[in-house]
Amino acid sequence: MSDCIFCKIVRGEIPSKKVFEDDDILAFNDITPQRPVHVLVIPKKHITSLATAAADDAPVLGKILAKANEIAVAQGSPDGFRVIINTGRVGNQEVPHLHAHIVGGPDPVGPMLKRI
Ligand code: AMP
Ligand code: ZN
């Protein structure tokens, strides 16, 4: 995807603060961190969202989750973290390249949703 912002990060056309990389996935700090630890983990291959992921994307999706703890611990969230994957319009997904937010830090991140 030539004009996808996260594909541009994968290609090095936009700078990012990388915290982990292998052949299939890339992790980098969110540009607007919501917590002391806020990392985005993406497949290097363009997948728009969980709503468009295919069955053969399962290995890379599994890898994103399997690496989450290692990334969180390395970035300063040794005692747990939260993974968020916003999906589509209802999920308020802003960047249409699938990404898992890993949010954490020394203190608890709070309840999952605001009480209404
Ligand atoms: P979402 O609403 O789940 O699509 O979240 C998109 C996230 O991407 C937001 O938390 C943004 O702060 C983050 N973001 C957007 N552009 C960049 C960038 N160039 N580098 C790092 N994070 C970014
Ligand atoms: Zn992309």
Side-chain angles (χ1 to χ4, degrees), residues 5-6 9 14-17 28-34 38 40 84-88 91-101:
I5 185 170
F6 286 177
I9 286 176
I14 291 178
S16 68
K17 181 125 187 281
F28 53 96
N29 284 330
D30 195 290
I31 203 166
T32 312
Q34 303 297 311
H38 188 168
L40 303 178
I84 301 166
I85 304 179
N86 295 323
T87 302
N92 278 76
Q93 181 179 2
E94 290 174 6
V95 176
H97 179 130
L98 192 154
H99 51 282
H101 298 253

Side-chain angles (χ1 to χ4, degrees), residues 44-64:
K44 287 189 170 178
K45 165 197 166 187
H46 182 87
I47 302 170
T48 300
S49 79
L50 277 185
T52 66
D56 63 3
D57 294 323
V60 74
L61 297 178
K63 194 176 225 185
I64 287 169

Side-chain angles (χ1 to χ4, degrees), residues 75-86:
Q75 294 308 306
S77 196
D79 201 23
F81 55 92
R82 180 173 294 155
V83 174
I84 301 166
I85 304 179
N86 295 323

Side-chain angles (χ1 to χ4, degrees), residues 2 5 21-22 41 89 99:
S2 57
I5 185 170
E21 178 174 22
D22 68 13
V41 193
R89 179 181 66 84
H99 51 282

